[in-house]
């Protein structure tokens, strides 16, 4: 009987995970069925403190990003003139933190990389990084609508892409935990701006039919040091931070090495889908305006 079970595991077809990783058969089965898996206590306290310390250095202007590298982002609600938030209270995101050696330590963390190889294989590459800070006074602007990450990625196959989302402190319903719809790893939905009161942050797209998707909404409460890995078509978002504290998350997208590496499995695609072209146009327009404002377009 045990031999039959082992034979079944060897012949089972896995779509979202690969052989040779560190996940158990039970963990692979769970991810294949649900599109996500939480690995508890993956980050050590020393790893977390290293990331938090570096983020606070940017918040307090102790260090400044080099031109054309990472980007410091403020939420629309915090950028209004009537607010005078400073330091940690003013910064909601550090984009492209792979340019900072201290923050990049998350991507290269020896506790993290074996898990990443379970989804992408040994030839992996980080393609997008964000350090997300959710201050307590942002109001409804701190919500992120339900969306699928694949809308932002012009490369395929989707099954060789994975996101790693880590809690640097306990993530709860009160401080805006990650919300997911398990088992939603199907064809993409139309990306739209949600019909919410007030302004929505640029590129905070939602999807128009998530309530029709399979699976029930889950508030994914996580403990400090936990990491959730999820498929780029998993429907997810986050709630408003109603606590008095800050919710911090380093967020990493990993793929099998993208072109121009000849042995890569993932490659760039033409944007034939209208919804993805609209996302690309919106993001490029935002980048051009930001570059013009900072002088990057004229060599300043």
């Amino acid at each position: 009987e045990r031999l039959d079970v082992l034979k079944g595991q060897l012949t089972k077809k896995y779509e979202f995970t690969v052989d040779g990783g560190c996940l158990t058969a039970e963990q692979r089965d769970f991810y294949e069925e649900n599109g996500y898996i939480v690995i508890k206590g993956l980050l050590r306290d020393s790893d977390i403190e290293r990331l938090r310390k570096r983020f606070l250095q940017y918040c307090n202007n102790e260090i400044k990003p080099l031109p054309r590298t990472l980007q410091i982002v403020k939420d629309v609600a915090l950028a209004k003139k009537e607010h005078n938030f400073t330091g940690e209270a003013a910064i909601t995101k550090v984009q492209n933190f792979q340019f900072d050696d201290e923050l990049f330590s998350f991507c290269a963390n020896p506790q993290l990389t074996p898990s990443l190889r379970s989804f992408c294989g040994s030839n992996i590459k980080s393609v997008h990084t964000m350090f997300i800070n959710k201050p307590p006074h942002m109001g409804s602007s701190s919500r992120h609508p339900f969306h699928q990450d694949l809308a932002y990625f012009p490369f395929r196959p989707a099954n060789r892409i994975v996101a790693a989302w880590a809690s640097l402190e306990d993530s709860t319903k009160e401080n805006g935990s990650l919300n997911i719809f398990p088992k939603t790893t199907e064809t993409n939905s139309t990306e739209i701006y949600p019909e919410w009161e007030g302004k929505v942050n640029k590129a905070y797209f939602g999807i128009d039919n998530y309530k029709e998707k399979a699976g029930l909404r889950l508030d994914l409460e996580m403990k400090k040091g936990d990491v959730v890995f999820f498929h780029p078509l998993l429907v997810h978002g986050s709630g408003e931070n109603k606590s008095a504290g800050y919710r911090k998350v380093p967020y990493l997208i990993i793929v099998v090495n993208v072109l121009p590496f000849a042995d890569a499995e993932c490659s760039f695609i033409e944007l034939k889908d209208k919804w993805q072209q609209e996302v690309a146009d919106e993001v490029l327009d935002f980048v051009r305006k930001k570059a013009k404002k900072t002088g990057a377009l004229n060599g300043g």
Side-chain angles (χ1 to χ4, degrees):
E1 183 177 346
R2 184 179 178 185
L3 183 60
D4 290 339
V5 171
L6 292 174
K7 287 181 178 179
Q9 292 174 351
L10 290 173
T11 58
K12 185 180 298 184
K13 179 175 175 57
Y14 288 104
E15 295 183 74
F16 307 152
T17 59
V18 298
D19 296 332
C22 68
L23 297 182
T24 66
E26 290 76 15
Q27 288 173 321
R28 291 182 71 179
D29 290 342
F30 184 90
Y31 186 86
E32 294 280 336
E33 179 181 357
N34 296 283
Y36 80 98
I37 189 166
V38 177
I39 307 297
K40 296 184 178 298
L42 195 61
L43 296 187
R44 301 169 301 187
D45 287 346
S46 58
D47 300 324
I48 293 172
E49 183 56 32
R50 183 178 183 182
L51 298 171
R52 288 170 59 90
K53 180 179 178 181
R54 192 59 155 190
F55 174 72
L56 290 176
Q57 285 179 320
Y58 281 112
C59 292
N60 298 325
N61 286 318
E62 295 174 21
I63 56 173
K64 293 185 179 295
L66 296 173
R68 301 181 181 86
T69 55
L70 57 81
Q71 179 186 1
I72 306 297
V73 181
K74 292 186 177 182
D75 185 270
V76 291
L78 305 182
K80 295 179 180 178
K81 293 181 179 178
E82 59 264 31
H83 292 305
N84 191 30
F85 296 119
T86 59
E88 186 180 14
I91 307 301
T92 56
K93 194 179 293 182
V94 176
Q95 290 270 29
N96 303 318
F97 67 68
Q98 70 271 15
F99 294 106
D100 181 284
D101 289 343
E102 288 295 293
L103 294 178
F104 186 74
S105 67
F106 172 67
C107 306
N109 190 300
Q111 280 75 243
L112 185 74
T113 49
S115 295
L116 295 173
R117 293 190 180 101
S118 300
F119 307 100
C120 299
S122 59
N123 188 23
I124 61 176
K125 182 182 182 68
S126 64
V127 293
H128 186 57
T129 55
M130 291 187 293
F131 190 105
I132 304 169
N133 179 46
K134 188 172 283 196
H137 44 248
M138 290 167 58
S140 61
S141 181
S142 67
R143 295 180 298 171
H144 197 301
F146 286 106
H147 63 284
Q148 294 172 303
D149 281 350
L150 197 64
Y152 299 92
F153 306 145
F155 36 81
R156 300 292 184 275
N159 292 349
R160 294 284 75 83
I161 304 172
V162 68
W165 193 99
S167 284
L168 300 193
E169 54 261 306
D170 291 354
S171 179
T172 66
K173 294 179 183 179
E174 187 181 16
N175 68 11
S177 61
L178 189 68
N179 287 195
I180 64 172
F181 278 76
K183 304 180 182 180
T184 50
T185 52
E186 312 121 8
T187 306
N188 314 61
S189 303
T190 303
E191 299 286 331
I192 60 170
Y193 276 118
E195 295 180 1
W196 288 351
E197 293 182 6
K199 292 183 177 180
V200 178
N201 288 290
K202 282 288 186 181
Y204 270 42
F205 297 104
I207 58 176
D208 60 352
N209 62 346
Y210 68 84
K211 292 181 180 179
E212 303 171 6
K213 296 242 172 221
L216 299 175
R217 175 175 171 174
L218 174 65
D219 289 301
L220 199 63
E221 297 191 285
M222 296 163 59
K223 292 294 185 182
K224 176 182 176 182
D226 293 351
V227 179
V228 59
F229 300 90
F230 57 89
H231 191 278
L233 284 175
L234 183 80
V235 176
H236 66 287
S238 65
E240 179 180 341
N241 183 2
K242 298 179 180 180
S243 73
Y246 296 79
R247 195 217 68 186
K248 293 183 178 60
V249 174
Y251 188 31
L252 168 66
I253 307 297
I254 288 286
V255 300
V256 176
N257 258 342
V258 185
L259 290 177
F261 298 98
D263 59 348
E265 182 178 346
C266 281
S267 58
F268 286 102
I269 61 169
E270 293 184 18
L271 299 181
K272 296 180 180 179
D273 294 320
K274 181 176 181 291
W275 61 269
Q276 193 159 34
Q277 184 64 62
E278 290 176 353
V279 173
D281 291 342
E282 178 85 6
V283 172
L284 285 172
D285 181 62
F286 173 76
V287 170
R288 290 190 187 102
K289 289 179 179 178
K290 192 74 176 180
K292 184 177 181 180
K293 183 177 180 180
T294 59
L297 290 181
N298 56 19

